[in-house]
C-alpha cells in the first residue's frame, strides 16, 4: 500500500477524515498559496482562493479515488479557482472600460505585502503582458522550478506544447526587459 | 539598472517578491477546519429544519384525516336519517311538505 493509499483511506473514513484533511492542508498550503499568489498578486485575494480550493477539495474528497497524485489534484482545483477569479476580475474591469492587467499591476504596487525592487516590478509588468495560460506556465517553470511533466499533469497540456509556450514567454519577457532599459 | 539585473538568469530576479502576514501559514489550517465545522453545522441545521417541516406535515395529515373522516361520517348519518324519515311518510304528506319548503 502506497503512502497516498494510506492517506486516502484516512480521508475516506469518517473518524479520521477531519484530522487527515488538516494534515493535507498543512502539507500543501504553501505551494498552492504561492501558485495562486503569482497569478492574482494580492494577498487577500490569494487567501480567498486558497480557502475555496481546500473547501472544494474537502467536498470532492469522497469522489477522489487517487487517479492522480493528491498534490496534482489540488493544483488543478487551485488553478481552476484562480482562472475563474481572474475571469470575473476581467469582466468587472471591462464593464468600467479598464484593462484588468493594468488594474492588477496597480494593485500589486500598492499591496503592503509586495516587497519587490525595481527590477522585480519590471519583470512582473512584463509577465502581465503574456496571455493567462502562458503566464501560468511561465510562473510554474521560472519561479517554482516545476518539471514539464508536473506542469503537464496539472494543466493537461503536452510537454511539447509547454516547452514551446515557455520558450515564447521567455523571449517576449526578455525583449520587454531589454526595451525597458532604453 | 544594468543588463545583468534585468536578465532572467539573475537569481535575485527569481526570488519571490511577496510577503504574507505574520503566522499566516501557522493559522491557516485552523481557519479551514473552523470553516468546515461551520459548514457542517449549517448542513445539520438544514437537515433539522427539513425534519421539522416533514414532521409538521405528517402531524397535519394525522389530524386532518380523522377530522375529515368524522365529518364525512356525520354528514352520511344525517343524510341517511333524512332519507329514513322521508321513507316513513305517505305520498300526500311528502308532497305537502315539499310544496311548503
Amino acid at each position: 500500500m502506497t503512502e497516498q493509499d494510506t492517506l486516502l483511506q484516512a480521508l475516506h473514513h469518517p473518524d479520521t477524515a477531519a484530522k487527515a484533511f488538516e494534515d493535507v492542508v498543512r502539507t500543501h498550503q504553501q505551494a498552492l498559496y504561492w501558485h495562486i499568489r503569482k497569478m492574482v498578486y494580492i494577498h487577500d485575494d490569494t487567501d480567498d482562493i486558497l480557502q475555496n480550493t481546500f473547501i472544494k477539495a474537502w467536498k470532492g474528497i469522497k469522489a477522489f479515488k487517487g487517479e492522480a497524485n493528491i498534490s496534482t489534484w489540488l493544483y488543478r482545483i487551485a488553478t481552476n479557482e484562480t482562472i475563474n477569479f481572474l475571469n470575473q476580475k476581467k469582466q468587472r474591469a471591462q464593464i468600467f472600460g479598464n484593462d484588468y492587467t493594468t488594474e492588477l499591476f496597480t494593485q500589486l504596487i500598492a499591496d503592503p505585502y509586495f516587497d519587490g525592487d525595481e527590477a522585480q516590478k519590471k519583470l512582473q509588468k512584463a509577465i502581465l503582458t503574456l496571455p493567462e495560460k502562458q503566464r501560468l506556465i511561465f510562473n510554474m517553470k521560472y519561479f517554482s522550478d516545476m518539471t514539464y511533466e508536473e506542469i503537464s499533469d496539472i494543466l493537461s497540456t503536452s510537454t511539447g506544447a509547454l516547452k514551446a509556450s515557455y520558450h515564447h514567454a521567455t523571449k517576449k519577457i526578455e525583449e520587454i526587459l531589454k526595451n525597458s532599459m532604453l | 539598472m544594468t543588463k545583468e539585473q534585468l536578465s532572467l538568469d539573475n537569481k535575485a530576479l527569481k526570488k519571490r517578491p511577496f510577503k504574507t502576514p505574520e503566522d499566516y501559514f501557522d493559522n491557516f489550517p485552523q481557519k479551514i477546519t473552523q470553516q468546515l465545522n461551520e459548514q457542517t453545522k449549517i448542513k445539520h441545521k438544514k437537515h433539522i429544519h427539513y425534519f421539522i417541516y416533514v414532521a409538521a406535515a405528517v402531524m397535519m395529515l394525522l389530524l386532518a384525516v380523522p377530522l375529515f373522516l368524522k365529518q364525512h361520517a356525520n354528514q352520511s348519518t344525517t343524510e341517511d336519517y333524512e332519507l329514513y324519515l322521508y321513507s316513513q311518510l305517505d305520498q300526500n304528506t311528502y308532497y305537502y311538505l315539499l310544496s311548503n319548503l
Side-chain angles (χ1 to χ4, degrees):
Chain A
M1 194 182 263
T2 64
E3 206 175 309
Q4 173 148 312
D5 291 335
T6 317
L7 176 63
L8 279 179
Q9 229 173 32
L11 285 167
H12 289 161
H13 196 283
D15 295 341
T16 49
K19 172 78 184 71
F21 192 72
E22 200 177 311
D23 290 342
V24 168
V25 174
R26 213 172 286 282
T27 309
H28 298 280
Q29 58 172 350
Q30 293 211 30
L32 295 174
Y33 175 90
W34 294 118
H35 176 66
I36 300 164
R37 180 79 185 266
K38 278 176 261 163
M39 288 300 287
V40 306
Y41 290 149
I42 310 303
H43 166 75
D44 289 341
D45 293 338
T46 310
D47 182 44
D48 287 345
I49 298 168
L50 190 62
Q51 287 181 48
N52 289 344
T53 298
F54 281 116
I55 286 165
K56 286 214 168 148
W58 171 254
K59 285 179 180 167
I61 203 77
K62 278 183 191 156
F64 178 65
K65 305 284 180 219
E67 309 83 5
N69 195 301
I70 193 157
S71 157
T72 306
W73 180 65
L74 289 170
Y75 262 105
R76 280 183 197 155
I77 301 173
T79 305
N80 282 340
E81 288 296 306
T82 306
I83 300 292
N84 287 343
F85 171 86
L86 288 174
N87 285 340
Q88 282 171 10
K89 208 174 169 79
K90 208 185 291 179
Q91 279 173 358
R92 272 201 301 270
Q94 273 169 355
I95 291 169
F96 296 105
N98 298 331
D99 173 36
Y100 101 110
T101 54
T102 314
E103 271 187 10
L104 268 181
F105 188 71
T106 313
Q107 286 176 334
L108 169 72
I109 303 300
D111 188 8
Y113 297 112
F114 175 75
D115 66 351
D117 58 17
E118 275 311 303
Q120 280 164 327
K121 276 181 198 167
K122 283 188 177 197
L123 173 61
Q124 290 303 329
K125 201 172 182 178
I127 292 172
L128 272 172
T129 63
L130 301 174
E132 227 154 64
K133 193 165 179 191
Q134 208 171 36
R135 193 153 75 89
L136 201 57
I137 296 163
F138 181 83
N139 284 338
M140 290 165 99
K141 186 75 194 141
Y142 183 74
F143 290 109
S144 306
D145 275 327
M146 290 172 97
T147 64
Y148 285 116
E149 285 70 28
E150 286 169 325
I151 304 173
S152 169
D153 283 344
I154 295 163
L155 301 181
S156 306
T157 309
S158 72
T159 50
L162 290 174
K163 282 177 190 173
S165 186
Y166 183 68
H167 177 75
H168 287 304
T170 49
K171 286 284 154 216
K172 190 174 179 184
I173 289 169
E174 274 167 352
E175 191 65 29
I176 294 170
L177 291 177
K178 205 170 97 185
N179 288 339
S180 75
M181 286 170 52
L182 299 174
Chain B
M1 203 168 291
T2 65
K3 198 178 160 188
E4 287 70 33
Q5 274 176 307
L6 280 177
S7 161
L8 287 179
D9 296 325
N10 175 15
K11 282 190 177 162
L13 211 55
K14 267 193 142 187
K15 258 180 64 187
R16 262 192 317 249
F18 307 108
K19 293 182 292 182
T20 59
E22 227 181 293
D23 302 329
Y24 174 70
F25 291 118
D26 292 334
N27 301 328
F28 186 79
Q30 282 160 338
K31 193 154 85 174
I32 291 292
T33 308
Q34 214 172 335
Q35 273 201 32
L36 294 176
N37 286 342
E38 274 164 25
Q39 285 200 353
T40 315
K41 270 184 206 164
I42 291 169
K43 216 173 158 184
H44 282 163
K45 265 187 190 168
K46 274 187 187 165
H47 281 150
I48 291 167
H49 282 167
Y50 179 73
F51 177 76
I52 290 169
Y53 295 144
V54 171
V58 169
M59 285 289 281
M60 291 278 283
L61 270 174
L62 286 174
L63 287 170
V65 168
L67 271 175
F68 173 76
L69 289 175
K70 199 177 168 188
Q71 200 177 9
H72 193 71
N74 285 345
Q75 200 178 357
S76 302
T77 318
T78 318
E79 276 171 12
D80 289 346
Y81 184 63
E82 273 174 16
L83 280 173
Y84 167 76
L85 282 179
Y86 287 138
S87 71
Q88 300 304 307
L89 300 172
D90 63 78
Q91 206 175 16
N92 288 336
T93 321
Y94 178 75
Y95 283 115
Y96 171 78
L97 283 172
L98 207 64
S99 61
N100 285 300
L101 272 177

